[in-house]
Amino acid sequence: MTAPVAPSGTSAPPAPAPVPRRFSRTWWAGWLPRPTLLAAALLGAVVVATPFLARPVGLLLAAAVVLVAAVDALLAPAPWRVGVARDVPPVLVLGEQGTVTWRLGSPVGRVVRVWLADALPPSLGAGARRVRVALPAHGRAAASTTVRPWRRGTFQLDEVVVRVPGPLGLGTRQAPRAVPGDLQVHPAFPSRDATLLRLELDRLRNAGNRIAPTLGGGTEFDHLREYRYGDDVRRVDWGATARLGHPVVRTYRVERDRTVQVLVEHGRASATVVDGVPRLDHAMDAAMALLTAAGEIGDRAGLTTYAAGITGTLAAARRTDQVARAARLLHALEPELVEAAHRTAFAHLAARQRRRALLVVLTELGAAAAMDALLHALPVLTTRHEVVVGSVSDPALVAMADRVPGEALVAHGSAGAAEVLARRETDAARLRQRGAHVVTGPPGVVAERLVDVYLDLKARGRV
């Protein structure tokens, strides 16, 4: 792939780091390009096939080819003198397309062809990892490729290999170059548009409703005013009364901004795949949907991740970039092959969240051991907070349970799927008995249902 030459007015690549001039495998391996090797092999075959008296001539020709190739390679500019820089987007979203650009600078006063190979991780889905660039005399050029990552995480980009052929193209010189860089791939948020649409519809439904401020009730201080007949004497501010010389009472208003705390469990069960994607990624989608809804309404939103213990926290806040901060926290999260310590996580959150809040636990239903631990730990939260448990259901299980039994294998699969679905329904009923709201649904739909439950609880004054 030959990249177009960029105008010489583009920004110059940084000065290359010095590379020790030593004979390493990657340095001398490219001295003889493929055409030169083929020519040497052809001459070798001629030498073997010719009569004994003609062999010295053939040997001289072969030696001449090798000598010319070596001289041509020595005339090539040193690879460590070629300026190399890599431009990558700091953040990409899983499945979306980005561009990686290599910028090179020529160290000599003639046109130079440069071959560059970059050790980009395969999971970035790069369209090309090798490019050819023609550098003008003391000029600059750029080449680029598209990337479409199919895995989350932080990718450390390090080494590229630069190969420069000689003037005749018979010999080349190459060397590895350190070009460090980082690329973060954040989780996808497929339910974003549906979440924003639900919020807009909720605004339109409530457009004509005006909520009058309730003074004197609630728990959030509003202002001081003079005492009136019938006021509760428990609300008298005695300090202000002494200063002003007449009775003064405190007035309070009902709180409008509440706290929504999302807990994402990434234990053993989160590693299972639903609709081609790990359950953990579906939970991330639901978490970002809830944080988006809370931010649009004006509530404080936070995030906690846990497996065998607490693995990450994002303090609840009203910030415009809270969803982006959550994506940074979630992007490198991976399932851990341990049972989730629900009680440890709930106790950690209950100790820090004293005021009543909406707590959304994103976990998996159906695993007996994990379910018992969740049921025993749930009262730690339900005694003070409104709790919602969200879980992704597997459409493949539903389809398998609905299949008409025919062969023995199909019958066994259908019966097993029906048993799993029944166990999930039983677990959901047990969670409701413990005071939690339970929301289940297929991928994407569960995020929308969680937002609907949040809006409903908000409208009813439960949070």
Side-chain angles (χ1 to χ4, degrees):
M1 169 180 169
T2 303
V5 176
S8 58
T10 57
S11 58
V19 177
R21 300 187 182 184
R22 55 186 176 85
F23 283 90
S24 63
R25 182 184 63 82
T26 54
W27 189 84
W28 60 262
W31 271 53
L32 297 178
R34 186 174 298 176
T36 306
L37 291 174
L38 290 176
L42 181 60
L43 283 172
V46 170
V47 169
V48 173
T50 53
F52 179 76
L53 295 177
R55 286 184 184 178
V57 178
L59 290 173
L60 288 175
L61 290 175
V65 170
V66 173
L67 180 61
V68 171
V71 172
D72 189 49
L74 289 174
L75 293 176
W80 49 82
R81 295 180 57 203
V82 177
V84 181
R86 183 201 297 112
D87 294 334
V88 296
V91 174
L92 281 178
V93 177
L94 187 68
E96 293 188 359
Q97 184 172 292
T99 302
V100 174
T101 301
W102 300 280
R103 294 184 290 115
L104 299 98
S106 173
V108 296
R110 61 180 176 83
V111 177
V112 178
R113 291 172 299 152
V114 177
W115 303 340
L116 183 141
D118 198 337
L120 297 175
S123 53
L124 286 182
R129 291 191 288 175
R130 293 182 176 87
V131 293
R132 294 183 181 183
V133 180
L135 296 178
H138 293 298
R140 296 176 293 272
S144 61
T145 186
T146 58
V147 292
R148 190 183 295 274
W150 47 267
R151 183 178 179 182
R152 292 181 289 102
T154 298
F155 296 91
Q156 305 288 339
L157 309 181
D158 185 16
E159 189 175 273
V160 300
V161 176
V162 178
R163 174 181 289 186
V164 184
L168 300 178
L170 297 176
T172 61
R173 301 169 73 179
Q174 74 178 41
R177 300 289 302 279
V179 187
D182 292 337
L183 173 59
Q184 289 188 5
V185 178
H186 285 189
F189 187 8
S191 62
R192 180 180 182 276
D193 292 341
T195 299
L196 294 177
L197 178 60
R198 274 168 162 69
L199 293 172
E200 186 63 28
L201 292 175
D202 184 69
R203 289 194 193 97
L204 292 175
R205 282 195 296 265
N206 299 322
N209 300 332
R210 295 185 60 190
I211 302 177
T214 305
L215 297 180
T219 59
E220 188 171 338
F221 174 76
D222 188 70
H223 66 279
L224 296 173
R225 63 171 174 81
E226 292 186 2
Y227 176 83
R228 300 172 186 168
Y229 178 77
D231 285 339
D232 191 345
V233 294
R234 292 175 296 179
R235 296 188 181 273
V236 174
D237 189 316
W238 297 108
T241 298
R243 289 193 304 271
L244 299 175
H246 57 82
V248 176
V249 296
R250 289 175 173 267
T251 60
Y252 298 85
R253 63 173 178 266
V254 178
E255 291 178 318
R256 295 299 178 198
D257 53 336
R258 293 291 188 174
T259 299
V260 179
Q261 191 75 28
V262 183
L263 294 91
V264 177
E265 178 257 310
H266 59 107
R268 188 190 309 275
S270 67
T272 57
V273 176
V274 177
D275 203 16
V277 177
R279 287 185 182 274
L280 179 57
D281 287 56
H282 295 305
M284 292 179 182
D285 176 45
M288 289 190 289
L290 286 165
L291 266 63
T292 298
E296 291 290 328
I297 291 176
D299 283 343
R300 294 182 295 271
L303 180 67
T304 301
T305 62
Y306 70 97
I310 301 297
T311 57
T313 57
L314 178 65
R318 289 190 301 271
R319 295 179 51 141
T320 56
D321 63 341
Q322 193 72 340
V323 176
R325 297 174 70 209
R328 283 196 295 271
L329 174 64
L330 294 171
H331 84 279
L333 200 66
E334 296 293 342
E336 296 184 9
L337 300 182
V338 295
E339 294 298 341
H342 296 291
R343 192 171 190 87
T344 301
F346 294 174
H348 170 87
L349 186 60
R352 288 157 178 77
Q353 185 63 46
R354 297 291 186 179
R355 299 171 64 185
R356 181 175 176 81
L358 173 64
L359 307 181
V360 182
V361 183
L362 301 175
T363 186
E364 166 57 5
L365 306 181
M371 206 60 229
D372 291 340
L374 178 60
L375 288 167
H376 288 310
L378 203 57
V380 175
L381 300 181
T382 53
T383 53
R384 178 176 296 176
H385 306 288
E386 198 76 21
V387 179
V388 177
V389 178
S391 180
V392 177
S393 59
D394 191 348
L397 279 177
V398 178
M400 186 177 295
D402 292 340
R403 293 180 65 180
V404 178
E407 300 178 356
L409 185 61
V410 175
H412 284 298
S414 179
E419 182 180 355
V420 172
L421 294 176
R423 187 162 60 243
R424 287 176 60 88
E425 290 296 328
T426 301
D427 292 340
R430 295 167 67 190
L431 289 171
R432 293 188 182 100
Q433 291 174 357
R434 298 294 179 97
H437 305 271
V438 181
V439 178
T440 62
V445 176
V446 68
E448 300 171 13
R449 291 178 180 175
L450 283 168
V451 173
D452 288 340
V453 169
Y454 164 58
L455 294 176
D456 179 63
L457 293 173
K458 189 79 177 174
R460 290 190 288 145
R462 299 290 297 273
V463 292

